[in-house]
Amino acid sequence: MTTPAPVETIDPSAVAGQKLVEKFPGAVTADERPGYSGWVISAEKLTEAAAFIHDELGYDLLSSVTGVDYLEEGKMEVVYHAYQTTGGPALVFKVRVAREDPVTVPSVTPIWVGADFQEREIWDLYGIRFEGHPDLRRILMWEGFAGHPMRKDWKEAFHEEEVKPFKSRWPGGEHIFAENRTAYGDNVSFEAGFDPEKWIPTDPEEALYASLKKYKTEVIDGIPTDHILVNMGPQHPSTHGVFRAVVMLDGENVVSLKPVMGYLHRNHEKIGERNTWLQNMPFTDRLDYFNSMSNNWGYSLAVEKLMGIEVAERAEYLRVIMAELSRIQNHFILIGMLMNDLGAYFTPALYAFEERELILDIFEAASGSRMMCNYHRFGGVVRDVPEEWMKKIHGLVFDRLPGKIDEFDRLLTENELFVSRLKGIGVLTPEQAVNTSMTGPMLRASGIPYDIRRADPYGIYDRFDFNVAVRYNGDMYDRYLIRVDEMRESLKILEQALKQIPEGPVNSQKPSYITKVPAGEAYGRIEAPKGELGYYVVSTGKPNPYRYHVRAPSFINLTSLEMTCVDEKIADFVALLGAVDIVLGELDR
Amino acid sequence: MTPNELNSPDYDIPEELQNVVAITTLDKIYNFGRRSSIWPMMFGLACCAIEMIAAQASRYDLARFGMEVMRPSPRQCDVMIVAGTVTKKMLPAIVRLYNQMAEPKYVVSMGACASGGGPFKEGYNVVAGIDKFLPVDVYVPGCPPTPQALVYGLIKLQEKIDKQSIKQVRWYQKGPDSVEVPIPMLGPDLIDPRRIPEIKAKAAELANPPAPAEESAA
Amino acid sequence: METYGKGILKGLMVTAKHFLDSYLEDIKWWGRKRYFSPEGIAHRGSKDAKGIFTVQYPEEKVPVPEEFRYIPFLVYDEGENGEKDIRCTSCGICAKACPPQCIWIVRGSDPETGKPITQPAEFYIDADICMNCGFCSEYCPFDAIKMDHDYEIASYGRNLLDINNLLKSSKYYAEIRPLNNALEEAARAEKAAAKAAKAAASG
């Protein structure tokens, strides 16, 4: 009997890369830097190559567009991560351009609409112009802000030293308030000779209103008609945080919509470049502040890839348990808040908050804090869950939560008011969803069964038996139903994880506040409850990241907001925004 | 409030009338009315907002303290709980909302970010504490403060109100605090209208640095 | 034929059940104290929680678990004469590990010789920057800085804590974190025993 020949695993992205090189000889080269992967495409051929990647090679989901500033080499780079919705690893391709102003790169928005907001962000923070972009304005900072903040030679007002830890804290730790050592006594800086009395304030929103102007006046049936411009937010009961949408209305119908973001831009990435690797962990908690357990995991994945270390067995199971509990409480709250937006003011939300409080008690006992858990470390988790709390998790998962999810179902799913408000509203076709880089439950509600836990498994998700929840109509009702489905699938995973969890250490590394990360780049992504949460990190071997970028699902899922809202009523806009499930912490970073 | 707390101790009320009559001061009634029904503004900026909503939800019910409803409209509320990081882009909106609130109004700075910039203090878009622009009454540290910590902070606010006197409250005085806070402008960086002369002088100084000290010493 | 309104009725049944439970639960607890007692608070945080879920702060407080972390504090051991033996040696690891860099330490120095001593001269924590992450206490090699449980620290001014506000005794630490304290005491005793054995073997 002959032994069967060993099966060779084919890396589909390597195959795709080879085809790319063959099609564009001379313009596409492999990225040879140590620790890096992917293909470098020259700027002139980018649009053609992008069309080839999308049409011929089948990479229809453009997940992430990141800008990197290589100051010493004098180059700026734009990194693209593209995926096939049939599953598999990423095709990473990059463009490198010289760092002299004006820095220009062709835009890929004609091919993938989802690159829209991300390219605006790179223009805002790095100053790279994208030719062919339909509306290149600043997105996170306001128009008129001086400079492009993420560039390596741009220093903020409270800048102390390049990297932490600062020498001023120890050993010479005389306390001084940061305000007292800056020139202007506060976190502001102006160029020398600036005269605020002579400065004429230009309207930071001029460009925004100009882009909506084309809908302004019309003459319908001989009667001059005007469309009303309404600003919803940033202080608004239903915008889930400080988000602003400028809506052009024809009576009650939405004609056009432009989102305005950046009201919670907390400079996560700039601070991330100054922090050491471990110091970034509590900052990731504050991205999607409902699911800090998931955020920690994405970051640990990216850094553990670079470090090349294994994660302890028990820690893998603990990570899954915490992440799935986090997903359940997130979906509970989302449905509760969606009900708030629809007018069922607070009863379903209060029931949801009750379940959330019980889950948060578990997070508090395991990690020390209800919301900002800071639980993951590189190689595992920080500490084990005490025995009595494991019993409580058992009690919740096996006895309480299934009944509560069914109760929520009974309360809401067949409610006639609910159904008439949601059915058929805001339909997003599968092609539109994929093209606008939608990920997460919104994508699966439109019929594409893409779940990273199945398509590109991380951790130990390949050991669990669960279904990928999918719905096919793409309207609001399906977006609600899919969250209930996902909660039930999460319970399945939790039951299996609780039964299979082994004993053992919870971290494969020794506790240390100094982490050695070899040079290279990595992209770690997870299926967060809101979508695909990805972390792109570049290391030069130093104690701090060279580039640290968060691919935020809330930010990119909003690309399709205008598409779904046009021709709906303004009351439906509120519900549509609620169903996208945005969290401002990760939207604005 | 029991009759004992409301009663001024200077007056002797006959036995038979003690359950019927109370003699009190205007200050006490004024404070009692305000401290028992403070309506917070639904003003969550970031993560602390979630703990604020959790404090309003069923487990740590704020309605027991009279903070019955959270109104998004500034005209209808009494206390602005600044929950979350204050960014420069959002600051003009915050100051405008504060100006629109009707007196008597209070500000509670919830969390590390609103009190002093928090972990994001070094950011280029972050204002290092809301007390640079608005007068804050209570600071609640924590990141985020647990709902019980926030409730403790609000109890401290109630205690502060109990000690106020109509003759000395800020909104009945004349002076800089009793007018509206001028709204900051978003230029090349945040411009605080109250500090414009300072900024002009400093920027001019940086453009033309004074002669070096060696010259004057020699 | 479909009944129109059946879905709404189903939902109303759920709400009615919650409403009735709030009375039935109180009746079930007849004879025991459902409010203002630890068993009552524990019941309202367990998987069988039904009925009224409110924990009436400040009269009832939800107990915090041992691992709860709020603002850090410095631990001192009480000597026989009541003097405070501060464990901190001003090594600076907490200041280096702190993500928002909210710890300022001035190393103590001997007043006569000017050489550094293992005591901090000044120690500041800006609680308006602290993000309660716990790295300082996690990486302190001397068990000198630990995370407090006290969350009732709202005040009328800013919170810059200096060494006097930060010192709390090790008895207090043993009360709030008994399990961790026991593990650390055992580790210290082991180290001391190993050191003594080594000294005895060599001496």
Side-chain angles (χ1 to χ4, degrees):
Chain A
M1 208 167 74
T2 52
T3 49
V7 174
E8 260 187 40
T9 45
I10 315 170
D11 183 7
S13 64
V15 171
Q18 286 305 320
K19 290 203 193 130
L20 194 60
V21 174
E22 282 158 22
K23 176 84 183 195
F24 300 97
V28 176
T29 49
D31 193 346
E32 299 292 331
R33 294 171 284 183
Y36 285 68
S37 63
W39 312 91
V40 181
I41 306 182
S42 69
E44 307 86 45
K45 289 284 183 186
L46 179 64
T47 329
E48 277 182 54
F52 177 69
I53 293 173
H54 180 260
D55 305 326
E56 312 283 328
L57 297 177
Y59 283 84
D60 42 359
L61 182 66
L62 179 70
S63 166
S64 163
V65 182
T66 316
V68 191
D69 180 11
Y70 287 102
L71 179 61
E72 295 84 31
E73 299 169 40
K75 297 254 188 192
M76 282 209 181
E77 191 173 296
V78 183
V79 183
Y80 302 83
H81 287 81
Y83 292 89
Q84 295 166 310
T85 46
T86 45
L91 177 63
V92 185
F93 54 100
K94 310 162 193 190
V95 174
R96 307 194 90 209
V97 287
R99 202 178 175 276
E100 295 125 30
D101 281 317
V103 186
T104 44
V105 167
S107 165
V108 296
T109 38
I111 301 151
W112 290 287
V113 176
D116 188 348
F117 288 172
Q118 302 186 72
E119 288 182 347
R120 278 176 67 187
E121 182 187 334
I122 300 176
W123 156 243
D124 187 0
L125 299 178
Y126 279 97
I128 301 179
R129 282 206 157 271
F130 287 91
E131 289 161 348
H133 192 283
D135 183 19
L136 195 66
R137 289 176 287 123
R138 284 188 182 257
I139 193 168
L140 292 176
M141 300 303 289
W142 61 90
E143 292 289 340
F145 184 73
H148 297 283
M150 282 294 291
R151 289 195 172 185
K152 286 284 179 183
D153 48 0
W154 194 95
K155 305 277 182 241
E156 60 267 25
F158 275 172
H159 171 78
E160 231 178 305
E161 286 170 43
E162 271 306 306
V163 293
K164 291 177 183 169
F166 298 140
K167 299 194 183 43
S168 61
R169 304 296 194 263
W170 180 89
E174 297 292 336
H175 176 261
I176 175 170
F177 278 110
E179 291 89 324
N180 297 339
R181 62 173 165 77
T182 54
Y184 292 91
D186 200 357
N187 191 7
V188 292
S189 65
F190 299 98
E191 55 178 357
F194 174 68
D195 189 351
E197 285 167 6
K198 293 213 181 66
W199 170 72
I200 300 167
T202 49
D203 187 2
E205 328 234 287
E206 209 180 307
L208 167 66
Y209 292 138
S211 67
L212 282 168
K213 224 191 218 8
K214 54 187 172 177
Y215 301 102
K216 260 272 174 181
T217 26
E218 272 183 33
V219 177
I220 304 180
D221 296 334
I223 308 174
T225 322
D226 206 353
H227 289 150
I228 320 169
L229 190 83
V230 173
N231 269 304
M232 292 189 68
Q235 161 71 349
H236 195 276
S238 67
T239 50
H240 300 270
V242 284
F243 173 73
R244 175 170 160 217
V246 185
V247 184
M248 183 73 85
L249 293 175
D250 171 22
E252 282 230 5
N253 293 322
V254 176
V255 170
S256 155
L257 190 155
K258 290 263 179 260
V260 182
M261 309 162 204
Y263 290 99
L264 195 62
H265 181 51
R266 297 187 281 194
N267 328 130
H268 189 91
E269 299 184 1
K270 189 90 180 170
I271 296 177
E273 287 178 9
R274 304 222 186 280
N275 284 348
T276 61
W277 293 97
L278 186 64
Q279 284 176 342
N280 260 329
M281 191 63 87
F283 279 96
T284 61
D285 284 337
R286 281 133 178 103
L287 281 171
D288 172 1
Y289 32 81
F290 281 103
N291 306 300
S292 63
M293 294 288 191
S294 301
N295 301 349
N296 288 155
W297 198 351
Y299 181 62
S300 328
L301 258 186
V303 178
E304 282 160 6
K305 259 193 212 175
L306 269 181
M307 287 169 82
I309 55 177
E310 290 283 316
V311 181
E313 260 310 280
R314 188 173 166 89
E316 289 274 29
Y317 281 90
L318 281 175
R319 284 181 175 184
V320 169
I321 292 173
M322 294 300 172
E324 295 304 321
L325 276 176
S326 199
R327 192 185 310 270
I328 291 178
Q329 60 93 27
N330 174 283
H331 286 332
F332 260 123
I333 296 294
L334 169 77
I335 298 177
M337 292 295 169
L338 182 64
M339 291 299 107
N340 273 8
D341 291 339
L342 289 176
Y345 188 64
F346 250 97
T347 301
L350 284 178
Y351 294 166
F353 265 95
E354 200 177 307
E355 307 310 313
R356 179 170 185 259
E357 291 286 337
L358 296 172
I359 295 178
L360 286 185
D361 280 346
I362 296 174
F363 288 171
E364 203 177 18
S367 67
S369 171
R370 284 155 50 104
M371 272 164 58
M372 308 308 180
C373 299
N374 194 12
Y375 192 50
H376 289 58
R377 300 282 182 271
F378 306 128
V381 297
V382 65
R383 68 181 72 89
D384 206 344
V385 178
E387 190 51 46
E388 39 161 321
W389 287 95
M390 282 303 270
K391 291 206 190 67
K392 282 207 178 172
I393 302 180
H394 267 266
L396 270 188
V397 169
F398 288 99
D399 300 329
R400 186 177 171 102
L401 284 175
K404 285 293 171 184
I405 296 178
D406 289 339
E407 187 184 277
F408 232 58
D409 213 355
R410 271 201 313 267
L411 177 67
L412 297 170
T413 310
E414 287 173 34
N415 192 317
E416 282 79 4
L417 298 167
F418 186 62
V419 170
S420 65
R421 271 311 287 272
L422 295 181
K423 239 197 173 113
I425 312 276
V427 176
L428 193 65
T429 62
E431 297 78 32
Q432 281 176 328
V434 172
N435 204 249
T436 55
S437 298
M438 179 79 82
T439 48
M442 293 282 288
L443 179 65
R444 293 192 284 277
S446 290
I448 310 248
Y450 188 71
D451 184 332
I452 300 175
R453 297 173 286 176
R454 227 353 112 63
D456 193 9
Y458 54 96
I460 47 168
Y461 273 110
D462 38 7
R463 296 188 207 174
F464 298 118
D465 172 32
F466 66 99
N467 300 324
V468 172
V470 160
R471 295 268 168 179
Y472 297 97
N473 293 327
D475 63 359
M476 292 271 295
Y477 192 51
D478 277 357
R479 290 174 202 155
Y480 157 74
L481 286 175
I482 200 169
R483 264 112 185 180
V484 180
D485 293 340
E486 281 200 357
M487 282 202 274
R488 295 206 168 107
E489 297 304 325
S490 286
L491 276 180
K492 269 195 217 163
I493 300 178
L494 275 169
E495 288 170 11
Q496 293 166 56
L498 284 171
K499 290 200 184 109
Q500 296 171 18
I501 182 168
E503 300 294 326
V506 291
N507 200 324
S508 62
Q509 312 289 306
K510 285 209 174 316
S512 159
Y513 64 97
I514 301 174
T515 0
K516 292 203 178 6
V517 179
E521 63 167 16
Y523 182 66
R525 62 183 199 141
I526 57 159
E527 180 72 29
K530 301 189 159 42
E532 171 186 329
L533 177 65
Y535 290 81
Y536 177 72
V537 286
V538 173
S539 163
T540 48
K542 292 220 183 86
N544 63 308
Y546 186 80
R547 173 75 170 114
Y548 164 68
H549 173 73
V550 178
R551 184 258 184 226
S554 306
F555 186 56
I556 297 168
N557 285 354
L558 283 184
T559 320
S560 65
L561 188 65
E562 188 173 356
M563 258 180 238
T564 50
C565 287
V566 169
D567 284 339
E568 303 290 351
K569 302 272 186 281
I570 184 128
D572 294 325
F573 157 70
V574 169
L576 279 163
L577 182 65
V580 176
D581 199 2
I582 56 170
V583 168
L584 265 297
E586 80 180 348
L587 204 156
D588 286 332
R589 275 150 290 141
Chain B
M1 241 188 184
T2 62
N4 297 329
E5 288 168 36
L6 215 45
N7 259 324
S8 272
D10 307 333
Y11 294 90
D12 257 331
I13 305 177
E15 284 275 339
E16 55 275 13
L17 288 178
Q18 267 181 12
N19 279 347
V20 182
V21 171
I23 302 186
T24 182
T25 63
L26 195 58
D27 270 343
K28 277 203 178 146
I29 292 284
Y30 186 62
N31 291 340
F32 170 59
R34 281 180 304 134
R35 63 104 78 193
S36 313
S37 135
I38 310 177
W39 283 7
M41 180 149 77
M42 191 193 280
F43 188 63
L45 294 168
C47 349
C48 282
I50 309 303
E51 293 292 54
M52 186 172 73
I53 299 177
Q56 187 84 16
S58 46
R59 200 182 205 189
Y60 310 98
D61 198 1
L62 271 186
R64 297 179 291 126
F65 298 93
M67 298 170 199
E68 182 73 37
V69 282
M70 292 192 129
R71 293 290 193 200
S73 162
R75 304 283 192 198
Q76 298 169 9
C77 50
D78 304 305
V79 69
M80 183 195 230
I81 303 180
V82 182
T85 321
V86 180
T87 58
K88 292 180 187 172
K89 195 168 179 181
M90 185 66 191
L91 188 63
I94 299 179
V95 175
R96 208 173 273 135
L97 284 168
Y98 178 75
N99 287 339
Q100 286 175 349
M101 279 170 79
E103 282 94 1
K105 56 188 175 187
Y106 303 94
V107 176
V108 171
S109 154
M110 174 183 178
C113 290
S115 308
F120 300 99
K121 183 167 179 164
E122 55 199 88
Y124 49 82
N125 193 28
V126 174
V127 175
I130 189 69
D131 56 357
K132 294 200 183 324
F133 289 88
L134 306 180
V136 174
D137 293 295
V138 179
Y139 295 81
V140 185
C143 189
T146 55
Q148 301 190 113
L150 175 65
V151 176
Y152 180 76
L154 290 168
I155 293 176
K156 281 232 84 82
L157 177 67
Q158 286 184 328
E159 289 170 12
K160 184 175 192 182
I161 294 178
D162 280 337
K163 300 197 186 83
Q164 284 184 329
S165 151
I166 301 184
K167 294 196 205 111
Q168 276 134 18
V169 283
R170 192 173 61 232
W171 38 87
Y172 293 141
Q173 308 293 321
K174 292 199 212 333
D177 260 348
S178 62
V179 297
E180 292 187 351
V181 181
I183 299 178
M185 300 178 283
L186 295 176
D189 210 333
L190 189 74
I191 302 177
D192 182 1
R194 299 170 295 191
R195 298 184 64 227
I196 283 185
E198 234 177 279
I199 297 177
K200 184 173 173 176
K202 190 72 192 185
E205 188 188 315
L206 286 175
N208 311 314
E214 295 93 301
E215 229 165 88
S216 52
Chain C
M1 199 187 79
E2 228 186 82
T3 331
Y4 195 70
K6 193 169 77 160
I8 299 182
L9 276 175
K10 252 187 170 177
L12 282 174
M13 286 294 116
V14 173
T15 325
K17 180 171 172 302
H18 272 255
F19 175 63
L20 287 173
D21 267 341
S22 63
Y23 291 102
L24 295 173
E25 274 298 306
D26 281 355
I27 295 175
K28 270 193 210 160
W29 277 72
W30 187 260
R32 303 175 283 167
K33 281 181 79 170
R34 188 173 197 263
Y35 301 105
F36 309 113
S37 71
E39 312 88 54
I41 299 177
H43 172 257
R44 273 170 276 155
S46 72
K47 66 175 171 77
D48 306 309
K50 256 160 69 156
I52 296 197
F53 190 55
T54 313
V55 173
Q56 299 176 37
Y57 187 85
E59 288 89 14
E60 302 177 307
K61 297 186 191 173
V62 175
V64 293
E66 180 170 332
E67 294 296 339
F68 183 67
R69 42 187 162 80
Y70 217 67
I71 307 282
F73 70 96
L74 287 172
V75 185
Y76 67 85
D77 296 304
E78 269 199 36
E80 303 93 37
N81 310 333
E83 86 261 10
K84 297 183 182 174
D85 180 21
I86 305 178
R87 289 188 193 172
C88 173
T89 61
S90 64
C91 69
I93 289 183
C94 57
K96 288 185 217 159
C98 174
Q101 299 283 280
C102 70
I103 300 183
W104 281 262
I105 309 179
V106 178
R107 254 195 309 214
S109 48
D110 201 41
E112 286 127 44
T113 59
K115 286 221 192 98
I117 56 172
T118 57
Q119 286 279 280
E122 290 170 55
F123 197 105
Y124 298 99
I125 293 185
D126 193 342
D128 289 330
I129 299 181
C130 173
M131 62 201 295
N132 301 358
C133 65
F135 278 172
C136 51
S137 76
E138 212 176 303
Y139 295 112
C140 174
F142 302 102
D143 298 328
I145 183 169
K146 295 291 175 189
M147 301 304 279
D148 204 351
H149 281 187
D150 185 18
Y151 50 82
E152 298 176 334
I153 50 178
S155 65
Y156 299 126
R158 286 246 192 150
N159 299 290
L160 175 65
L161 305 170
D162 67 2
I163 195 164
N164 299 320
N165 320 72
L166 287 170
L167 281 172
K168 292 198 184 175
S169 81
S170 52
K171 281 205 206 65
Y172 172 72
Y173 173 59
E175 268 171 37
I176 58 172
R177 287 173 191 257
L179 292 174
N180 277 319
N181 190 37
L183 285 172
E184 285 160 20
E185 294 279 326
R188 260 197 290 271
E190 217 182 291
K191 246 193 185 164
K195 213 167 150 189
K198 219 171 162 188
S202 61

